[in-house]
Amino acid sequence: MPPMERVAVVGVPMDLGANRRGVDMGPSALRYARLLEQLEDLGYTVEDLGDVPVSLARASKRRGRGLAYLEEIRAAALALKERLASLPEGVFPIVLGGDHSLSMGSVAGAARGRRVGVVWVDAHADFNTPETSPSGNVHGMPLAVLSGLGHPRLTEVFRAVDPKDVVLVGVRSLDPGEKRLLREAGVRVYTMHEVDRLGVARIAEEVLAHLQDLPLHVSLDADVLDPTLAPGVGTPVPGGLTYREAHLLMEILAESGRVQSLDLVEVNPILDERNRTAEMLVGLALSLLGKRIF
């Protein structure tokens, strides 16, 4: 078991960062998949802190290209940041989403102003800015914001990482502007090409070496998995991680003892089959927190 023995779970029922509705029910689906009970079975003391307040899409106005629900998303992510920053030392936060824009708050809150490494496990880079984004959806921008790029209303409160302390794993869908920004910022990127060529074990070891001895935040997007395994996502991309690749990545990261916080995001129960996607993410979370076959 990692050094932390206490887990705090926080839900963010938000779908404002995406085009498709339904991902706001992700926290409920993950809880229904018995995340808390199974963590307790591993020996953790688990506290469910409930959900942060989020405005409803129908009560909010979508404003302009690149500014979709900007203030509502900012408010929810800021509430999450403050909640995580107030947790006692030694508590492992798990944030349940909700769309990936919430990670602006989770990473910034978990970091508490300290230098951290971020392992972004996702089919997408989420490294757009309002100028590069084809859609204007904020869930495609959080990693850029955390790295100091994007709308000043977001970067002023959520800039929290050096992009050279960020590693992407499982990427297979990038916008042209993202490619340029990622190269310029110096983000380490492992696409599915590298996963196929190098294998997950080598990539995981390289990730840990690259991030040196930094404490780690893992942000796990359900769409990194192949859609045949995890159909309940809003932006599925064929050719994702297999069941064993994903679990092996989590297991190797866990063995480092450096992971200190986790996001589970982009589960959309409306598009799912018998809650399969939520159950997959819960299984990966358990691997990351120490569950082993033997």
Side-chain angles (χ1 to χ4, degrees), residues 27-58:
S28 294
L30 290 160
R31 289 183 173 107
Y32 185 73
R34 300 187 67 253
L35 171 65
L36 281 71
E37 294 88 342
Q38 293 187 75
L39 287 169
E40 289 174 344
D41 290 343
L42 284 179
Y44 289 96
T45 299
V46 183
E47 182 180 7
D48 191 342
L49 301 180
D51 295 341
V52 299
V54 181
S55 296
L56 297 175
R58 63 177 178 270

Side-chain angles (χ1 to χ4, degrees), residues 92-168:
F92 188 110
I94 300 179
V95 180
L96 311 180
D99 72 69
H100 218 157
S101 58
L102 66 85
S103 294
M104 296 184 295
S106 63
V107 175
R112 307 182 195 211
R114 299 170 295 192
R115 185 183 174 193
V116 297
V118 175
V119 185
W120 201 267
V121 188
D122 196 332
H124 309 86
D126 298 340
F127 214 76
N128 272 305
T129 65
E131 293 73 31
T132 66
S133 172
S135 67
N137 292 326
V138 179
H139 78 153
M141 304 180 189
L143 191 54
V145 169
L146 288 162
S147 301
L149 303 172
H151 196 283
R153 285 288 290 164
L154 300 177
T155 57
E156 67 186 359
V157 288
F158 299 121
R159 181 175 186 173
V161 298
D162 184 329
K164 294 181 175 59
D165 293 335
V166 174
V167 181
L168 286 158

